[in-house]
Amino acid sequence: MILSLENVSFKYAYEKIIDDVSFVVNEKDKWGIVGLNGSGKSTLLKLMAEVERPDSGKINILRKFKISYCPQDMAFENGKSIYETVASMVTDISEGFEIKTILSRLGLIEYERLVDNLSGGQRKRLALAIALVRKADLYLLDEPTNHLDQEMIIWLEKYLKNSSSAIVMVTHDRYFLSRITDHMLEIDNGKLYAYEGNYSDFLEKRQLRYDLEKAMEQKRQNYLRNEIEWIRRGAQARTTKQKSRIQRYEKTLEIKGPKEKETLQLKSATSRLGRKVIEINNLSMSFADKRLFANFSYHVLRDDRIGIIGDNGCGKTTLLKIIMKEIQPDSGYVDIGETVRIGYFAQNNAIFDKSQRVIDYLKSFGEIVYTADNEPITASSMLERFLFPKDKQYLPIAKCSGGERRRLYLCSILMMAPNVLLLDEPTNDLDTDTLTVLEEYLEDFKGAVIAISHDRYFVDKICDHLFVFEDGGISLYNGNYSTYLNREKEEKKEEAKREETRKKNKRKGLSYLEKIEYQKLEEEIVALEEEIKTLETELGRQSSYIEMEGIGKILDAKRELLDKKNDRFFELMAKEEE
């Protein structure tokens, strides 16, 4: 056992987040934590990392074990370089050897760049690098895949999978969860539910739990109905047996049944979309002498589902901003149809007035929105569908979690009834349940969707073709993310085979031993030629058949040896010239 929680409770203000829970992490365990935004996932990690202290209960950590924690947000000392920042947090000199390797794997290759000038995504990757460089028995990772491109995610996946350390992580990346975890932990209404297996196993076992809870609640309700009938018939509480039966009924009545699972009932609220949608014509764009893309053209169709993939900094967000006409391209233009209403879900939330109430924020985008069936949806109803019950709608935004604000921002985009959606990393900070329903919503959405995402699961689910940013250009690929990655993997294997064949076929210069052999051969060939001349002269002088036959055999052997030596000599000569 590395750490344990015993009857731990924690609340913010008067709201209980973690309610009397117990939990154990053993060596080599790989735990994934899931739950709705605001359910307490990050809080649980903070309690384990001793960043927060519980209101009640006990957290036991065996001091012989080392714990490394990567929060969602981390403060850095200004004036220090990237390398200095990581090195200053390393306590063991042996850990220092890996600093540059891990930084480069996470795309932080400008080691001397000051942390003051880093973007939000770079700061997140720096926090992850610090957590990984600290050699630990237990890694606590809060959204480790946020702001990582595909190559980084695949590297991190292998790194954590091969690690013998225990891991407890919060992440929305469902492929990542499925491939690394062997245990899942769900936070639901302040309680913890543990499941053995990965994310796929969890989905199946959670449904079994829901079904069992439903069956038990049905049984409880049937019992209560029967007892109520018995009491109505005039049960007298005179005997001990009758008193006991009434007390049992009252206790059963006090039991709270399972809370009905809330889901995002996202019915598409869209406006009419004409034939002409978005026409991209010969777009070219460079930034600081780096070409992002050139001569890119594409006509977006009404039912298009496009995923945009590529490394960080390759120009994906720039393309969306050009479509939104927030940035002017170097050349080319974008023509947008008259009926098009774009909903742009940016990578960073719109700047909230945190003192503003949730309901007032959404009403600023519209009091009512209509579905494709002309069904009106009020701002309050929309919030309820986005898991903001009435009591939460009148809270200030400051009291919402990061994920809840992200969900509120998404809600505000859809409240405007767009018919084209541009989504920039929509999966960041949204919980897995919200993502599942969002994917179902996008499948039914009556309009075009263009999404930037490193989340393979999300892109596989909603997209049927891709814009691939590579080598300073954009190429089109028909298929989802997984088929593209498999194709790319096969191409790399084939290229590796071709390279290996080229290496085998390519003649190299002479090795040290071959040079010695080459020099000796020259001497040996001269000596052999002299011997053959001598034997030929001797053969001409002989008159005895027996003597002639003996010299002839020796002469044949010497000539055969000379041929072999000459062949090897010319082979080495050609190799030396090559």
Side-chain angles (χ1 to χ4, degrees), residues 437-455:
V437 181
L438 175 60
E439 288 157 359
E440 290 170 359
Y441 170 75
L442 292 176
E443 284 177 1
D444 294 332
F445 180 71
K446 304 294 187 287
V449 178
I450 304 175
I452 297 171
S453 183
H454 296 302
D455 188 323

Side-chain angles (χ1 to χ4, degrees), residues 408-446:
L408 177 59
Y409 175 46
L410 176 61
C411 187
S412 70
I413 301 298
L414 300 180
M415 193 69 190
M416 294 184 285
N419 48 33
V420 173
L421 284 172
L422 304 183
L423 309 175
D424 195 349
E425 294 294 357
T427 64
N428 282 0
D429 300 320
L430 292 181
D431 58 73
T432 52
D433 286 345
T434 303
L435 285 175
T436 300
V437 181
L438 175 60
E439 288 157 359
E440 290 170 359
Y441 170 75
L442 292 176
E443 284 177 1
D444 294 332
F445 180 71
K446 304 294 187 287

Side-chain angles (χ1 to χ4, degrees), residues 197-253:
N198 63 15
Y199 181 73
S200 303
D201 301 319
F202 152 73
L203 291 176
E204 186 179 334
K205 290 177 180 178
R206 181 177 65 170
Q207 189 56 50
L208 290 174
R209 176 171 75 84
Y210 288 168
D211 294 343
L212 181 61
E213 285 177 351
K214 259 182 160 178
M216 289 181 71
E217 177 60 12
Q218 187 63 47
K219 194 174 179 181
R220 187 176 76 94
Q221 292 297 335
N222 290 340
Y223 166 78
L224 291 173
R225 275 194 297 273
N226 291 333
E227 294 304 284
I228 288 170
E229 286 300 317
W230 174 72
I231 290 169
R232 281 175 179 167
R233 285 197 300 267
Q236 301 296 316
R238 291 174 185 166
T239 67
T240 304
K241 191 173 181 182
Q242 287 177 323
K243 282 181 181 177
S244 175
R245 184 171 175 178
I246 290 171
Q247 286 171 354
R248 188 165 65 248
Y249 162 76
E250 288 171 345
K251 282 182 181 177
T252 306
L253 188 63

Side-chain angles (χ1 to χ4, degrees), residues 51-282:
V51 172
E52 298 277 12
R53 297 188 67 80
D55 296 318
S56 62
K58 192 176 178 185
I59 298 177
N60 306 302
I61 300 175
L62 274 68
R63 294 302 167 190
K64 70 174 183 175
F65 293 112
K66 189 174 177 183
I67 295 175
S68 184
Y69 170 53
C70 175
Q72 280 201 51
D73 299 299
M74 191 174 192
F76 303 111
E77 186 182 336
N78 286 340
K80 282 188 175 181
S81 69
I82 289 173
Y83 185 86
E84 287 171 335
T85 300
V86 181
S88 67
M89 299 191 184
V90 170
T91 54
D92 188 339
I93 294 173
S94 64
E95 295 169 349
F97 294 110
E98 259 195 289
I99 292 176
K100 287 188 177 179
T101 302
I102 288 176
L103 284 174
S104 63
R105 288 290 193 175
L106 295 175
L108 299 169
I109 54 176
E110 298 175 87
Y111 308 127
E112 300 308 314
R113 185 175 175 184
L114 293 180
V115 294
D116 318 36
N117 305 322
L118 297 182
S119 67
Q122 289 167 327
R123 295 175 81 85
K124 172 64 183 178
R125 281 182 271 143
L126 180 56
L128 179 58
I130 290 167
L132 296 179
V133 166
R134 293 170 174 159
K135 293 301 175 193
D137 302 289
L138 169 62
Y139 291 101
L140 304 174
L141 308 176
D142 199 348
E143 295 291 1
T145 62
N146 274 7
H147 307 290
L148 301 189
D149 63 32
Q150 192 54 49
E151 193 176 331
M152 295 173 195
I153 290 171
I154 290 171
W155 170 79
L156 181 62
E157 193 177 281
K158 288 178 182 174
Y159 186 91
L160 295 178
K161 197 171 182 179
N162 294 331
S163 172
S164 59
S165 301
I167 297 164
V168 180
M169 65 178 173
V170 174
T171 179
H172 63 267
D173 189 324
R174 288 152 290 177
Y175 278 152
F176 198 75
L177 276 174
S178 289
R179 287 170 182 164
I180 294 172
T181 58
D182 49 30
H183 294 79
M184 293 295 298
L185 191 69
E186 181 188 16
I187 305 181
D188 187 5
N189 293 310
K191 299 298 183 184
L192 300 187
Y193 299 90
Y195 305 85
E196 196 167 328
N198 63 15
Y199 181 73
S200 303
D201 301 319
F202 152 73
L203 291 176
E204 186 179 334
K205 290 177 180 178
R206 181 177 65 170
Q207 189 56 50
L208 290 174
R209 176 171 75 84
Y210 288 168
D211 294 343
L212 181 61
E213 285 177 351
K214 259 182 160 178
M216 289 181 71
E217 177 60 12
Q218 187 63 47
K219 194 174 179 181
R220 187 176 76 94
Q221 292 297 335
N222 290 340
Y223 166 78
L224 291 173
R225 275 194 297 273
N226 291 333
E227 294 304 284
I228 288 170
E229 286 300 317
W230 174 72
I231 290 169
R232 281 175 179 167
R233 285 197 300 267
Q236 301 296 316
R238 291 174 185 166
T239 67
T240 304
K241 191 173 181 182
Q242 287 177 323
K243 282 181 181 177
S244 175
R245 184 171 175 178
I246 290 171
Q247 286 171 354
R248 188 165 65 248
Y249 162 76
E250 288 171 345
K251 282 182 181 177
T252 306
L253 188 63
E254 288 171 3
I255 296 171
K256 289 183 179 178
K259 196 174 180 182
E260 194 66 32
K261 299 302 166 193
E262 295 175 289
T263 57
L264 293 177
Q265 301 168 16
L266 294 180
K267 198 165 183 181
S268 175
T270 57
S271 49
R272 188 185 70 83
L273 183 60
R275 183 171 295 179
K276 182 178 176 181
V277 185
I278 298 172
E279 296 180 356
I280 300 170
N281 298 287
N282 295 311

Side-chain angles (χ1 to χ4, degrees), residues 564-577:
K564 286 181 181 177
K565 299 245 180 221
N566 272 324
D567 288 343
R568 179 61 175 158
F569 179 79
F570 288 120
E571 182 187 339
L572 293 175
M573 181 189 288
K575 198 171 182 182
E576 184 186 47
E577 288 172 357

